[in-house]
Amino acid sequence: MSLVEKYAPQLPYLRRFARALTGTQSGGDAYVRTALQALVAGDVDMDDSLSPKIALFQMFLGIWNTTGAQLESDDVPGADAQSVRIHKLTPTSRQAFLLNALEGMSVEEIAVIMGISSSDAKTLLEQAEADIEKELRTNVLIIEDEPIIAADIEGLVEELGHTVDAIAATHTEAVKAAEKKKPGIVLADVQLADGSSGIEAVTEILGDYDVPVIFITAFPERLLTGDKPEPAYLISKPFRPENVKAAISQALFFHHG
């Protein structure tokens, strides 16, 4: 099997990873070209015992860590908000985070690619997650009419380091709370205390502010109709705490506002 046949199917993933690692499309593509040139020229050794994707990523990071990582600066011209956040992580924790979050690599695979122990890979992931949560800390508006559920959500939010500005039980309360202080993220139920709609409250808030929204509801069918844009983050009640936490972090991280 030729080099092209063996590694070409993995190149789109490597380009995606490289762009996220460097913070820009041009920077990522440049380093992928450098790695491929070294591969074709026979200047790098590939571990044939590994899968093509693992071997390719291992080779790429070997080149990156001896060149690109030393040339990094805090400023990433042309980078989007996500790339800037990632770039604030230490180089090794950023590599581990992207291999896991973007490429779906396991701790063991990350360890092989980075040439470290599994325990060190796990530590890097934990460090990255903690740094990202710190970077994403914001103020939260909870729209929920059940006091016990609202208290549970508030606790989960605060465990992530965020601040709950208000808990609204009706459409009117929610809009007034958002007007008083723009939320960094909204967690909303669909059916509210006075019969009003959390969907309508969120729609009104989004008319004034560009913020991420997570619906936590016992009525997901009201949002999954296929007739209009559906929410990216929808959690059904009863919910699992870890799902809410993950949705909050993802919504904040990937929001473009």
Side-chain angles (χ1 to χ4, degrees), residues 197-249:
S197 168
I199 300 173
E200 293 178 0
V202 165
T203 299
E204 188 169 343
I205 291 170
L206 291 179
D208 295 321
Y209 308 111
D210 181 15
V211 298
V213 176
I214 298 172
F215 282 100
I216 304 175
T217 176
F219 306 99
E221 67 279 359
R222 296 189 185 181
L223 293 162
L224 300 177
T225 63
D227 295 330
K228 54 186 177 181
E230 297 173 348
Y233 301 98
L234 176 61
I235 297 175
S236 298
K237 294 178 180 176
F239 56 79
R240 297 173 60 189
E242 58 268 31
N243 290 349
V244 176
K245 288 183 177 181
I248 291 172
S249 294

Side-chain angles (χ1 to χ4, degrees), residues 56-149:
L56 189 63
F57 275 64
Q58 184 187 68
M59 180 272 290
F60 176 82
L61 280 184
I63 292 175
W64 167 256
N65 287 327
T66 57
T67 56
Q70 298 176 9
L71 301 175
E72 290 187 292
S73 67
D74 292 333
D75 298 321
V76 188
D80 59 21
Q82 297 168 32
S83 297
V84 170
R85 293 186 189 114
I86 294 174
H87 213 73
K88 291 183 179 181
L89 302 175
T90 61
T92 52
S93 64
R94 183 162 77 251
Q95 291 171 22
F97 171 77
L98 289 172
L99 288 171
N100 177 257
L102 200 60
E103 302 303 328
M105 302 287 190
S106 66
V107 170
E108 291 73 21
E109 289 172 328
I110 293 170
V112 171
I113 291 172
M114 297 182 66
I116 58 179
S117 68
S118 293
S119 61
D120 285 344
K122 183 178 180 181
T123 297
L124 287 175
L125 282 176
E126 292 172 347
Q127 176 186 336
E129 290 169 359
D131 289 344
I132 288 172
E133 286 178 1
K134 182 178 179 180
E135 175 69 21
L136 296 177
R137 284 178 183 169
T138 189
N139 54 306
V140 181
L141 169 59
I142 297 173
I143 306 175
E144 171 60 61
D145 64 326
E146 293 287 345
I148 294 178
I149 296 177

Side-chain angles (χ1 to χ4, degrees), residues 167-191:
I167 298 177
T170 67
H171 178 150
T172 300
E173 289 178 9
V175 172
K176 287 183 177 179
E179 291 174 346
K180 185 175 181 180
K181 184 175 182 180
K182 175 188 173 181
I185 187 171
V186 176
L187 279 64
D189 191 4
V190 171
Q191 184 69 47

